[in-house]
Amino acid sequence: MINIKVMGEVPSYARQGDAGADLRATEDMTIYPGERKLVPTGVYMALPEGYVGLIHPRSGLAFNYGITVLNTPGTIDSGYRGEIKVLLINLGHFDRPFEIKAGDRIAQLVIQKYETAQFHLVDSLDETDRGEGGFGSTGSNS
């Protein structure tokens, strides 16, 4: 159970079994092509230690309009008590602003347990087949 305070709508799951709860805007605004806006949701919450809130884009907004969460996923730490705001950017058509109305679903909130790592400084790391292969190192998609 997550304790929340809302000045807008309570996050809600569209369907049973969904991982992400919809977050909604609390005010009208326009995001012009190439512009980013911090969109208030009116949601405040107290996550227990060992949990994190992750803000993910809504796939329909991304596909249909080019609207996405700029710092995906946004991270809400358990000690944060401020309003959840979503940093959206309009990467869509260069001639079309995107209109947000209060109550529109703008992002998804996923709550997850996490482990805190303990980092141990060493002089070298073990060898693997992949080694230092990074971006594109496993071949092309064709």
Side-chain angles (χ1 to χ4, degrees), residues 9-138:
E9 294 189 44
V10 174
S12 60
Y13 296 96
R15 293 181 180 87
Q16 186 171 340
D18 285 355
D22 289 322
L23 291 172
R24 297 175 183 271
T26 57
E27 60 187 61
D28 297 348
M29 62 178 55
T30 301
I31 306 176
Y32 291 93
E35 185 179 36
R36 59 187 181 267
K37 288 266 178 97
L38 200 54
V39 183
T41 67
V43 175
Y44 302 74
M45 65 182 175
L47 290 170
E49 193 169 322
Y51 286 82
V52 63
L54 300 172
I55 306 298
H56 291 275
R58 294 195 63 243
S59 59
L61 290 181
F63 180 74
N64 295 317
Y65 305 102
I67 302 299
T68 191
V69 177
L70 191 57
N71 61 324
T72 300
T75 302
I76 304 164
D77 294 308
S78 63
Y80 180 66
R81 295 296 183 268
E83 180 180 10
I84 296 172
K85 295 182 181 181
V86 179
L87 183 57
L88 293 181
I89 187 167
N90 183 346
L91 300 173
H93 298 284
F94 292 106
D95 61 343
R96 255 189 253 157
F98 183 74
E99 300 291 333
I100 297 173
K101 300 292 181 205
D104 284 353
R105 297 177 299 159
I106 57 164
Q108 295 182 76
L109 171 65
V110 176
I111 307 294
Q112 289 185 322
K113 283 186 173 186
Y114 69 87
E115 297 288 331
T116 301
Q118 293 189 14
F119 299 99
H120 179 72
L121 185 62
V122 297
D123 292 327
S124 62
L125 301 176
D126 60 316
E127 298 286 328
T128 67
D129 289 340
R130 182 176 185 165
E132 293 184 19
F135 296 98
S137 66
T138 58

